[in-house]
Amino acid sequence: MKSTDFIIREIQSKDNAQMATVIREVLLEMGAPKIGTAYEDKATDKMFENFEKPTSFYYVVEHNNKVVGGAGIAQLDNFEGNTCELQKMYFLPITRGKGLGSKLINTCLEKAKTVGFENCYLETMPYMNAAQALYKRNGFVNLDKPMGNTGHYSCPVWMLKKL
């Protein structure tokens, strides 16, 4: 399979159940806790509605008419300034190692710039090494402390990129 076998497109309401399954499957695969993560977020089951705001958007990765990954951008919660957050980036194993992560990040960051964001923040888990390497390859740098307050206290790795 090649990256050309996958389509990146904006989320639709019909994608909600499939995207929620992707998120929870990846969290379980990674051994993440169910509390203090996206696993228990109400928003995980309503991704389309959650990102239906002027400065929010979410893209899914589709393969053979099935949602196999996604990532989105939203204003960073409880933070003053033009900083967005890269949110809920999850890929099933079928999508990994094909350059789709960088492609999706770039799609998100280009759109973030067009709506006026100047920085992009993200939170992840210390043992998600492949994810951290991907973020670093795409220009994110580690921070010493969190920004804003996302409520994800089980995600103690914080990163930022100037847009």
Side-chain angles (χ1 to χ4, degrees), residues 6-25:
F6 297 83
I7 298 164
I8 294 176
R9 62 169 174 78
E10 289 199 36
I11 195 168
Q12 299 166 12
S13 57
K14 69 178 175 70
D15 300 323
N16 279 350
Q18 286 186 52
M19 195 60 226
T21 299
V22 168
I23 291 169
R24 292 190 172 104
E25 278 183 21

Side-chain angles (χ1 to χ4, degrees), residues 97-154:
K98 296 174 175 62
L100 292 161
S102 291
K103 197 170 175 183
L104 188 56
I105 288 171
N106 289 325
T107 301
C108 286
L109 297 184
E110 285 305 311
K111 177 94 180 218
K113 280 190 235 180
T114 68
V115 295
F117 288 118
E118 295 168 7
N119 299 292
C120 185
Y121 172 78
L122 65 84
E123 295 179 337
T124 188
M125 297 180 204
Y127 47 84
M128 291 190 171
N129 297 318
Q132 288 179 59
L134 171 68
Y135 301 140
K136 284 179 180 155
R137 277 197 308 277
N138 283 278
F140 284 85
V141 295
N142 287 86
L143 300 174
D144 296 331
K145 58 185 195 302
M147 294 170 63
N149 183 3
T150 64
H152 289 164
Y153 53 84
S154 292

Side-chain angles (χ1 to χ4, degrees), residues 35-74:
I35 56 169
T37 66
Y39 195 95
E40 68 172 357
D41 286 358
K42 286 180 179 35
T44 296
D45 293 302
K46 295 194 180 311
M47 296 292 283
F48 174 78
E49 292 79 1
N50 192 50
F51 284 88
E52 206 177 16
K53 301 177 187 96
T55 58
S56 299
F57 41 89
Y58 196 87
Y59 293 96
V60 295
V61 179
E62 187 183 286
H63 178 258
N64 291 342
N65 299 314
K66 186 171 185 274
V67 173
V68 292
I73 292 282

Side-chain angles (χ1 to χ4, degrees), residues 69-95:
I73 292 282
Q75 174 72 41
L76 177 57
D77 279 345
N78 305 304
F79 186 80
E80 290 296 314
N82 289 338
T83 297
C84 61
E85 182 184 11
L86 181 65
Q87 296 182 341
K88 294 189 171 52
M89 183 162 179
Y90 294 95
F91 277 29
L92 290 178
I94 190 176
T95 60

